[in-house]
Every structure is written in structure tokens, then in C-alpha cells.
Amino acid sequence: MQVLFVVLALGGLVATVWLWPRLSGPSWRSIAARVGVLVADQTLLLLAVAVVINAYFGFFGSWGDLLGTNAADAPAITAGTAGMAGTAAGGAGLVRVLGSRPVEVTRPKAGLPAGRLEQVTITGARTGLSSPAYVYLPPQYFDKKYAGRRFPVILGLTGYPGDAENLVTRLDLPTLTATSILAHEIGPTVLVLMRPTVAPPRDTECVDVPGGPQVETYFTSDVPHAMAAAFRVGTEAANWGILGGSTGGYCALKLTMRHPEAFSAAVSLSGYFHALMDMTTGDLFGGNRRLQDENDLMWRLANLPAPPVSVLVTSSRQGESNYQATEQFLAAVKPPMRASSLILPSGGHNFATWNRELPQALPWLAQQLHAPAQPPSPPASTEGPRRLAREAPLRLARRPRPGHHAPRHKVAKKR
């Protein structure tokens, strides 16, 4: 397609050279014709540049994608065969709340409370890095019946350079999560919405840069620690998952595969599989080839033991440059790692495509997570308040009940 538009633009310039002497008369028709030729040349040139840029960055995969006519639902997720304005309370100054507002939903049950969205900054105790974020708290977080409970967490990441606000305004993740919770598609889940660019304007590809920003440590250690100190969220890997698009998708896969002690599941929307290096990243590895290899997901699958995590990767047969790489990644996964895929017939590297994928991808991720184990309630006693008060410490020391595990999202068998 881009070749056709480039040829048309060049053809228009050649035609202009041939026509121009013939349109040099003083009549109004000649003047109008010259203006028309110039307008046509400029239009063809702009279209050719736009098509080439779109082909390079993959913003739109088809005319239907550009015009918003690709409204058909995404296909089913395919399971792989390689194994199935202050400081938040208790945050110790690590999470600073800048604002708060209710989340509203129009379906499936209008009028019900849908939770709150907190605008915050999260500071890392280990790295000293600080980044803006949004925290979505489900309605159950404020319900007295859940007063002593902790919740599973999904960390959402934008692409580069990105803005955490895009996850709210363009992907509408808080509303989608609230709607899924109210529809009982997923259990109560907290969202932490951020951008991977925590040392702007540098694109660190979520790497602990030698002598530079320790972004990997920030996301795998600092953010979970700060969230657990400020909010009632789980602290085990089984309680945490990551979802991201583009650069955020690469970060989601990499952080989960490299740190199964921190995250148990990931969704990569149009992500890639090795760190990109260009003028925006600089030298990410300080000449350390081993470190570079360890941040290459295909190298890890070929040379290191597979981690016990679950991942979902998305792409499009038409319009996404990562389609072949995604197929290769899926083929390389081996147990105990589990990989599923969501492949669209057509879709570009953009929010419109990701909005088509999220209604399946978000519930899939939430259903991989376990709710944190909850402390048991003291059993009722017929021996009076005094006896119960004396024995309560002993009873509270008993082994806690296992946490609830939401049912898995049904997936289609691999074609």
C-alpha cells in the first residue's frame, strides 16, 4: 500500500513537470488549473508520507481500522500447547494522594457504586525513583464486609513515551474493571496504572541500567512494597499481574518472566520481545552482553529454565509488525510456563485495537490471580466475653484460610 502511494506522489510530480508549461497562459482557467495541480501534488505527497509513517509505526492496520469500522468482536483467546491530596494511610510517605473521584459505569447495573480512582505519586524506597500513577479501588474496598481483606492487583503500563492518564481516558481501564466486577466476571481487583517512563525523557525499557535508573527494581520491588504499605493489597506473586501495551507489553512479559517471585501473570498487547535501543534509550546495558541477553525474552526461553507464570500475548495478522515474532514466542514457550494468544484478523498498533482486545484480555488476567489469604474471624463462644477475650490471641494465631481463587476464563483450544 505504501509503495502505491509513493508511486502516485512521484507520478504527480512528473506529471506536473510535463503539464506546467501547458498551463502557463494568463486566463483564469490556466491559473485555476495550476492551483489544482499544486493542491493535488501536495495532497498526494502528504498521503504518501502518512502511509509510510503508519507502515513504520503500525498505527492503523487497515482502512476499517482507520475509519473505526472494525467493530466486530475479537476472536476467542487461544490457549497454547506448552502447558497451560495527602499521603495514603499507612504509606509511610511512599504513596502521595493528589486527588480522588468516583468511577461511574452505565452498565450492567447502573447506579451501583463502582469504586474510586485515586491520583497518586509512588516513590520507591529502594531506588528513590518517583512516578505519577492512578490507583483504582473497587467498591468492595469500601464495604464493611471487606474491612479486613486485601485484594489482588493488576499493574497497568502504557507504551513509550506514554502517559498514565491514557490508561484512564483512552483505554478506560477503571470503568472496564468496575463493569467486570459488577457483572461477576472477575473478583474485586485493584489497579495501579502507570507509564514505564519513570526517568523521563529516557526510555529505559524497564531495565536496571548500570550506573543509571533502576527501573526494573522500581516496578518489581518498590511499587508492590509501597502499595502494600498504603493500601489493602496482597504481597505474594500470586496476587499480582501486569498488563501493558507496546513498550508496556514488553515490560509486562519481561518483568513477569524475570521476576516470578513478584508477578504470576502478564498480558502483552502488541508488545515485543527484546529491548529496543535507539537515541531515546541510550546504552541500556553498559556493554554487558549477558545482561542484554537476559532482557531478550527469546534468548531466555532458549537458554534458561521456564518460569512458572502465565502470559497472554496479542497481535494481528494484518497491521501488526510483531505477528511473526509473536508466533515464534508462542512456539518457544515450554512448561511450567503457560502461554495463550489473542490474534485479530486486522488491527494496528493503537488504542482502537487494544480496546477491542481488552474485554477478553483483562478478565483473563484477573482470573489468573489469587485473592490474598484472609485472616480468620474469631469463632463465636458461649463462655462469655471475658473467656473469649483471653483466648482470642491464641485463636488468631491459627493457620489462615486459603484465599479465594476466581474461576479461570474459558479459552478456546489452539487451532
Side-chain angles (χ1 to χ4, degrees):
M1 180 65 72
Q2 61 265 31
V3 174
L4 174 62
F5 276 91
V6 170
V7 169
L8 287 175
L10 292 175
L13 293 176
V14 172
T16 298
V17 173
W18 182 78
L19 285 172
W20 199 259
R22 293 164 176 77
L23 302 176
S24 59
S27 68
W28 67 268
R29 288 190 177 87
S30 296
I31 295 172
R34 290 198 296 272
V35 171
V37 167
L38 290 175
V39 170
D41 283 345
Q42 294 295 322
T43 301
L44 287 173
L45 182 60
L46 289 174
L47 283 174
V49 171
V51 168
V52 169
I53 291 176
N54 180 69
Y56 181 81
F57 290 103
F59 295 122
F60 300 98
S62 66
W63 289 108
D65 195 21
L66 172 64
L67 299 174
T69 57
N70 279 347
D73 291 338
I77 292 174
T78 302
T81 58
M84 298 302 290
T87 301
L94 300 177
V95 177
R96 181 174 177 79
V97 179
L98 306 177
S100 178
R101 66 174 177 83
V103 173
E104 299 178 356
V105 298
T106 57
R107 60 183 179 89
K109 297 180 179 179
L112 292 180
R116 296 194 66 82
L117 188 66
E118 311 278 338
Q119 185 178 2
V120 305
T121 58
I122 300 178
T123 300
R126 291 181 60 184
T127 65
L129 295 171
S130 183
S131 185
Y134 290 90
V135 174
Y136 166 73
L137 301 172
Q140 290 81 357
Y141 193 91
F142 307 97
D143 190 329
K144 291 181 179 179
K145 293 184 296 185
Y146 293 80
R149 298 201 178 190
R150 291 182 173 265
F151 297 85
V153 186
I154 291 175
L155 172 61
L157 298 176
T158 66
Y160 173 82
D163 188 325
E165 189 175 355
N166 289 337
L167 298 171
V168 178
T169 60
R170 303 294 298 276
L171 295 183
D172 207 9
L173 280 172
T175 301
L176 179 59
T177 303
T179 301
S180 298
I181 292 171
L182 293 175
H184 303 291
E185 295 176 351
I186 65 175
T189 305
V190 170
L191 300 182
V192 186
L193 308 177
M194 308 183 72
R195 60 181 184 179
T197 314
V198 297
R202 188 177 187 181
D203 174 15
T204 61
E205 300 285 297
C206 295
V207 169
D208 276 354
V209 180
Q214 305 294 285
V215 179
E216 184 171 358
T217 298
Y218 176 75
F219 282 120
T220 59
S221 177
D222 282 347
V223 170
H225 173 76
M227 284 296 300
F231 299 97
R232 301 196 316 275
V233 299
T235 57
E236 303 294 328
N239 314 142
W240 280 76
I242 319 181
L243 178 150
S246 190
T247 299
Y250 164 67
C251 288
L253 288 179
K254 183 185 73 169
L255 295 175
T256 300
M257 291 176 64
R258 281 174 58 82
H259 295 275
E261 80 286 354
F263 303 102
S264 60
V267 168
S268 172
L269 305 173
S270 305
Y272 42 91
F273 304 97
H274 63 88
L276 304 181
M277 288 192 289
D278 54 26
M279 62 182 297
T280 66
T281 65
D283 183 3
L284 294 176
F285 306 109
N288 187 330
R289 181 66 192 185
R290 178 73 181 188
L291 181 59
Q292 184 172 349
D293 286 341
E294 290 177 351
N295 282 269
D296 185 321
L297 305 188
M298 295 303 295
W299 184 92
R300 296 188 68 85
L301 291 175
N303 296 279
L304 298 175
V309 298
S310 299
V311 301
L312 169 66
V313 292
T314 77
S315 187
S316 304
R317 291 186 179 88
Q318 177 186 350
E320 279 282 18
S321 62
N322 76 333
Y323 174 64
Q324 293 298 330
T326 299
E327 291 293 307
Q328 293 168 6
F329 175 84
L330 290 167
V333 171
K334 52 186 179 292
M337 184 174 174
R338 297 184 298 175
S340 299
S341 63
L342 179 55
I343 307 297
L344 299 178
S346 174
H349 198 80
N350 54 49
F351 291 111
T353 296
W354 302 335
N355 274 312
R356 293 162 60 198
E357 296 165 342
L358 278 171
Q360 290 192 74
L362 179 67
W364 180 93
L365 179 56
Q367 291 167 13
Q368 308 309 305
L369 306 181
H370 293 259
Q374 311 300 340
S377 301
S381 172
T382 59
E383 299 180 355
R386 291 184 180 180
R387 179 73 176 270
L388 181 61
R390 288 197 306 269
E391 295 183 355
L394 295 177
R395 290 174 178 171
L396 286 174
R398 290 164 51 189
R399 185 177 180 180
R401 298 195 304 269
H404 171 69
H405 181 200
R408 300 272 181 173
H409 187 57
K410 293 182 180 179
V411 297
K413 293 182 179 179
K414 187 172 182 178
R415 292 191 294 271

